Amino acid sequence: MKYRKKPVEIEAVQFDYEKWVYMRHTAYPMVNGDVAPDGGMMATNPVIKTLEGDMKVSDGDYIIKGVHGEFYPCKPDIFEETYEPSGRSVDGKLLAEKLAVPIKHEIDKQSRREQRRKGFL
């Protein structure tokens, strides 16, 4: 049987490493990592904490906000094959606004995954 992805509008922003280095507390707040002591480039790899674990973010990757408020990176070629502009715009700060308030579904999903891992489900 074949399946087709449901049409859904997502929010996304393209990651810019230099912008993150110099404004990491305000630009892309969902991206974690340290920079070189002199403020230079690539001291550590920036990462996003996802439901599947930490995922590395590279310069030019798109950061997608999923349908349940989760964030994950996507390579530019995959993003461009999968998505097209909807005509609405968003910036990194708006994209992360709900990050401070965990979404109930996300917490329930993490709890079920942990219970499965321990053999309770």
Side-chain angles (χ1 to χ4, degrees):
M1 180 171 273
K2 291 189 175 192
Y3 291 88
R4 180 179 21 207
K5 191 182 244 185
K6 292 179 182 179
V8 77
E9 186 175 69
I10 54 105
E11 294 178 26
V13 63
Q14 197 163 24
F15 183 72
D16 179 323
Y17 187 84
E18 278 190 49
K19 184 176 178 183
W20 176 74
V21 168
Y22 297 107
M23 299 172 41
R24 68 178 188 259
H25 299 294
T26 55
Y28 316 106
M30 73 292 287
V31 179
N32 302 304
D34 295 322
V35 296
D38 63 354
M41 305 298 267
M42 295 295 182
T44 64
N45 296 324
V47 297
I48 293 178
K49 293 188 182 304
T50 72
L51 296 175
E52 290 78 31
D54 291 352
M55 295 183 76
K56 181 183 176 221
V57 184
S58 299
D59 198 33
D61 284 358
Y62 282 85
I63 300 172
I64 297 173
K65 181 178 178 182
V67 295
H68 298 294
E70 74 281 11
F71 293 96
Y72 56 94
C74 182
K75 294 294 177 198
D77 56 336
I78 302 296
F79 184 86
E80 289 162 10
E81 286 180 26
T82 309
Y83 300 99
E84 62 186 20
S86 71
R88 296 173 58 191
S89 64
V90 68
D91 64 24
K93 187 174 181 180
L94 292 175
L95 191 65
E97 278 180 350
K98 294 185 180 178
L99 192 61
V101 181
I103 295 172
K104 184 180 183 323
H105 176 80
E106 186 176 330
I107 293 169
D108 291 346
K109 189 174 179 180
Q110 289 173 341
S111 174
R112 287 192 306 274
R113 181 179 290 125
E114 187 64 24
Q115 287 178 344
R116 258 189 240 107
R117 189 179 69 76
K118 291 180 179 177
F120 295 123
L121 291 179

